[in-house]
Amino acid sequence: MKRTEMRGMVETEIKKTSTEFEIREIKDDEVEKAAELVARLKKLNGEFDPLLKTEEKVEADSLRILKERIHDKDFVILVALSGSKVVGVVKAVLRDRIYYEPRKEGAIIEFYIMPEFRRGNLGRDLLVAIESMLRKKGAQLITAEFPSQNEIARRFYTKLGFRSLTNVFAKAS
Amino acid sequence: MSSRSSKNKSGKGKRTGQGRSSLTAGKTPKSADASRLALLYSRYYEGKMQTIPKVPITSLNDFSIWYTPGVAAVSLAVARNQDLSFEYTNRWNNICILTDGSRVLGLGDIGPAGSLPVMEGKSLIYKFLGGVDAIPLPISAHEPSQMIDLAAFIQPAFGAIHLEDISSPKCFEILDSLREKLEIPVWHDDQQGTAGVTLAALLNSLILTNRKLDDARIVLFGAGAANIASARLMVAAGVPAGNLIVVDSKGILFPGREDMDHMMLSNKWKYELALTTNKERLSGNVDVAARGADALVAASTPGPNVLAPSTLRNMNKNAILFALSNPVPEIWPDAAKKAGVRIVATGRSDFPNQVNNSLLFPSIMRGVLDVRSRAIPDEAIVVAAQELAKYTRDEGTLSDEHILPTMMDLEIYPIVASAVGEKCVKMGLARKTLGRSQIEEIARRVIERSRKMVLSLQESHLIEPLPRDKRG
């Protein structure tokens, strides 16, 4: 599905976008490449905090988990393609917020774009796309998780209207 | 040493010889000898630089003019218009050589105190070749933010700031930040000086091998301060970034490399190059990069076996190699030539084609100071490199073994200074609007006066003759 079709389907307004990328739900044969990107994300997280240092088997784990999630209805996984090449991935999960309202949360838990394809509007487009998909699946609140020290992510989400909601503090035992 | 014949552009700045008659190339002492003599002489003279007055003192009464109460009027005028400090004080010719001693040439991180003799030496070259009054200023602060703050705090005293021997990648942050912040030129010799002379050498090498800047394939081996700056300057000079291939200790830079995110956070300058260079998206080691390359600029680790002949054999015909590591180049020139390289340059004076920062920094600084420039833009460094290359061509001495002038070609300094000054004027950076011939005349006069002063002090024995080396 091309971007234009996606727009129609999710009935969302996408502002100016680059036409060079296709954004859509991941296909089975793209899982391996997407898992490589997820592994890169986990390693990037490790750059921000030693408590996020990745294990040796991060690639294998990324692939295993992604294969499990791809057909899970509570998960939304989108890829961005440049030609046939997977250059971006975003994964979100639907959560039920017991105690709070609104109850339905769409939480973006993994988001990675290959360095060469950053700085355009691809990040924003991927976010807009997954936000629409999540809302369509009932999410009333969109959240995003990233390491506290990741100022790039902080700036990105702030610029797009997000704000800090909860904090996770850590202390190694 | 060759003499430049009647090619004075302006026709105004007369050829004076500039001390040429009293300056000889002399013999370069062997390394061990140089070390022994340097220790001996440094102790004997108790340092290499001092400050001396530039106004007459006929009686103690003169101090009522040079100092209080007369000086108050000058101070008030400068306080009202700070740009007058370039007219009423020596600020126009004062620079400081700022370092933390974290990467001293050939010595590494020896700290500020250990770097002082080197900075004094740099100051001496500045005075003699560029007529610049350069104050050595090693500091015991190492954080980029501290160094940036310090440079900003001392700005009112200086016409420019010269950064020296600061480790990479913090040197990039310091230079970029200061270039943005300060109202005076900031120069980092290990980046811009090396890049400028490398560019000059490249320009002439390309001419000798009938190549064009915009379609040569150039490999940069080593991604430290020198080569990152060289890559940036080459792009500013018109090399398409995609034609550059940068190789660091882990291999060729390309946007998909595994450590890109680490690079983004630890060395954004290298990261930029990884994103913009290497349009073919090559990956692998230097052998892959060198295959079919026209030129290879190595500024990596001291040799001689860092580059293998087999790597060079796969380069294009009429290959160009700059092996710039000191004290030993990545491969010895004769070995490179045996491997088929046509033009070889190194950082050393005992081989042909020395890529030596001293060919540029005194003249670039002279040029920006004489027009009271607010900055040294890349464009001015490109112009300086072009002028340096052109000098060799104009002299008729361009050959595979002579792609650059040498420090003995004293004429290059006012000529390059005027080209730099003119560029700053054209770009609207100068506080003083002068034409090229005027700048050349001023530069020539300032440099000549400085040299004459040194020679005169020597003749009068206020600078004593070298002590007899009892062991020699």
Side-chain angles (χ1 to χ4, degrees), chain A residues 146 150-162, chain B residues 265:
Chain A
F146 56 87
N150 186 346
E151 287 300 326
I152 303 166
R154 186 182 298 274
R155 279 197 298 273
F156 172 73
Y157 288 112
T158 305
K159 201 173 149 196
L160 292 165
F162 287 67
Chain B
L265 298 170

Side-chain angles (χ1 to χ4, degrees), chain B residues 294-404:
Chain B
D294 298 311
L296 195 160
V297 178
S300 55
T301 47
N305 298 315
V306 175
L307 276 173
S310 58
T311 307
L312 305 179
R313 268 195 284 274
N314 288 327
M315 289 179 71
N316 207 345
K317 271 187 215 159
N318 295 316
I320 300 159
L321 169 72
F322 301 162
L324 303 179
S325 271
N326 277 322
V328 180
E330 284 81 353
I331 180 169
W332 292 115
D334 56 344
K337 292 230 163 181
K338 265 187 207 157
V341 173
R342 179 171 151 191
I343 297 174
V344 183
T346 68
R348 287 170 55 135
S349 58
D350 51 349
F351 293 112
N353 297 331
Q354 187 191 14
V355 173
N356 179 354
N357 295 17
S358 302
L359 294 173
L360 271 192
F361 73 79
S363 50
I364 289 187
M365 199 54 91
R366 183 73 273 139
V368 294
L369 289 174
D370 287 341
V371 299
R372 320 287 190 257
S373 183
R374 291 184 166 83
I376 304 174
D378 285 346
E379 291 87 337
I381 307 170
V382 171
V383 161
Q386 288 166 341
E387 206 63 37
L388 197 61
K390 184 171 170 289
Y391 178 86
T392 310
R393 300 199 298 275
D394 287 352
E395 283 288 284
T397 53
L398 179 64
S399 72
D400 290 1
E401 305 293 304
H402 191 87
I403 55 173
L404 287 172

Side-chain angles (χ1 to χ4, degrees), chain A residues 35-61:
Chain A
E36 276 176 36
L37 269 58
V38 171
R40 277 181 179 253
L41 168 71
K42 301 300 177 190
K43 288 180 192 165
L44 171 59
N45 288 346
E47 295 284 336
F48 294 109
D49 199 304
L51 286 178
L52 296 170
K53 188 175 178 297
T54 49
E55 288 187 317
E56 290 267 318
K57 57 190 181 73
V58 59
E59 275 91 4
D61 284 343

Side-chain angles (χ1 to χ4, degrees), chain A residues 40 43-44 47-48 59 112 114-116 118-119 152, chain B residues 255-258 260-262 264-265 271-272 275 281:
Chain A
R40 277 181 179 253
K43 288 180 192 165
L44 171 59
E47 295 284 336
F48 294 109
E59 275 91 4
Y112 188 84
M114 288 293 283
E116 194 176 1
R118 296 172 192 166
R119 297 183 185 174
I152 303 166
Chain B
R257 216 169 84 160
E258 193 65 33
M260 276 297 275
D261 288 317
H262 172 74
M264 172 179 76
L265 298 170
Y271 177 77
E272 286 302 321
L275 287 176
R281 298 292 184 257

Side-chain angles (χ1 to χ4, degrees), chain B residues 176-189:
Chain B
D176 285 3
S177 169
L178 288 175
R179 278 178 112 182
E180 202 171 293
K181 263 187 171 177
L182 299 199
E183 283 293 307
I184 55 174
V186 183
W187 173 260
H188 180 213
D189 208 35

